[in-house]
Amino acid sequence: MAVLWRLSALCSAQGSRALLLQTPVFRPAHISAFLQDRPTPDWCGVQHIHLSLSHHSGSKTACLHWTSERVVSVLLLGRLLAAYLNPCSAMDYSLAATLTLHGHWGFEQVVTMFIGTFGRKLPRQGFWQFQF
Amino acid sequence: MAALLLRHVGPHCLRAHFSPQLCIRKSLPMAMSICHRGTGIALSAGVSLFGMSALLLPGNFESYLELVKSLCLGPALIHTAKFALVFPLMYHTWNGIRHLMWDLGKGLKIPQLYQSGVAVLVLTVLSSMGLAAM
């Protein structure tokens, strides 16, 4: 549960940068510094300010999408283990659903990285992917 | 397609994944990142293929398993085939966990990147060997 809270807190802190960081493999130095030196008690205030400054409703959707992707990944990990230990048809269905969703979103990320989202010439996700 | 991509690259080496000769250095994190995406696509294709063949081909899974058993292939070959099948899955799983650790903000320093990369590779080989032996 704590893991999920931290994931969602991370997601909303990124706000308008969420679109840029849909594939957050390697982050620019100032962002990783922000993530690592955060003061834990005051952090909620900082992330709230970030959210109120961004006026795009699209960034909230992207943020939710990012969190959902991570949640589904963690769920899939648990499912794989549980399905091996306890095979039953309900497990089959949930594994199929989680696997399909994870695969679809992952493929979408690869496509977006190389082709870009609608209306962009340069895929910026691809740009950050190679910035190290 | 390649020319279109190159035109938009500018000073940054966006073709790094495909044309290392265009870029100054290739490194372990980059190679592992390509492999993560590559294994993801391969696994997705495999799962879709499995599902489609379950729909289209006659018989059920057990009959195909019996068919493979009746071929009496050597244990070395079977072990190798199982290893080759499970290796992409294990690599993608362990590297995926590494990605999730990054998303939590941990292990983003460069030396940690290399350490976690090597750990993922070692874990992949060990777990693939373990699962193939089952």
Side-chain angles (χ1 to χ4, degrees):
Chain A
M1 195 58 210
V3 172
L4 283 175
W5 177 85
R6 285 183 75 189
L7 278 177
S8 56
L10 264 175
C11 171
S12 37
Q14 282 160 21
S16 56
R17 285 186 305 225
L19 272 171
L20 201 64
L21 291 170
Q22 258 178 357
T23 54
V25 177
F26 300 111
R27 297 193 179 98
H30 62 277
I31 292 181
S32 54
F34 166 72
L35 283 171
Q36 281 166 358
D37 313 65
R38 60 188 188 279
T40 327
D42 304 326
W43 200 40
C44 287
V46 172
Q47 84 192 40
H48 186 71
I49 288 170
H50 274 243
L51 265 180
S52 61
L53 278 179
S54 80
H55 297 292
H56 306 285
S57 62
S59 69
K60 285 194 192 131
T61 328
C63 190
L64 201 60
H65 183 253
W66 188 87
T67 316
S68 318
E69 277 183 344
R70 313 302 132 166
V71 166
V72 166
S73 306
V74 172
L75 274 175
L76 186 59
L77 277 174
R79 278 269 157 268
L80 282 177
L81 207 60
Y84 176 73
L85 296 170
N86 183 22
C88 65
S89 70
M91 202 64 76
D92 282 345
Y93 283 122
S94 57
L95 189 60
T98 326
L99 203 59
T100 312
L101 196 54
H102 180 75
H104 173 76
W105 276 339
F107 193 71
E108 204 180 16
Q109 277 200 1
V110 175
V111 164
T112 312
M113 191 170 79
F114 290 113
I115 298 178
T117 52
F118 180 76
R120 289 188 197 183
K121 275 186 190 174
L122 188 69
R124 294 167 85 186
Q125 289 89 339
F127 176 83
W128 287 119
Q129 176 86 10
F130 301 122
Q131 277 303 302
F132 56 84
Chain B
M1 180 70 189
L4 200 68
L5 273 173
L6 274 171
R7 232 187 297 145
H8 292 298
V9 160
H12 304 286
C13 189
L14 280 175
R15 298 297 316 282
H17 270 183
F18 297 126
S19 311
Q21 59 268 23
L22 293 180
C23 199
I24 297 166
R25 53 159 205 244
K26 36 182 169 177
S27 52
L28 184 67
M30 181 175 74
M32 290 191 72
S33 173
I34 310 168
C35 286
H36 188 72
R37 303 229 178 242
T39 49
I41 295 180
L43 286 167
S44 245
V47 165
S48 302
L49 214 66
F50 186 80
M52 289 296 284
S53 40
L55 269 177
L56 298 172
L57 295 176
N60 59 358
F61 186 67
E62 280 87 9
S63 62
Y64 285 103
L65 200 58
E66 287 302 314
L67 181 69
V68 172
K69 277 192 190 162
S70 69
L71 289 174
C72 295
L73 299 166
L77 190 59
I78 297 224
H79 197 100
T80 315
K82 281 161 82 174
F83 183 84
L85 275 177
V86 87
F87 189 83
L89 178 65
M90 283 293 107
Y91 176 82
H92 193 81
T93 310
W94 292 117
N95 210 16
I97 296 177
R98 190 167 162 239
H99 265 74
L100 288 171
M101 296 304 295
W102 290 336
D103 293 335
L104 285 173
K106 295 204 165 76
L108 288 166
K109 296 195 174 69
I110 296 289
Q112 287 172 325
L113 230 58
Y114 281 87
Q115 281 163 11
S116 57
V118 169
V120 159
L121 286 171
V122 167
L123 274 169
T124 306
V125 172
L126 288 176
S127 50
S128 305
M129 280 178 11
L131 282 176
M134 281 169 61

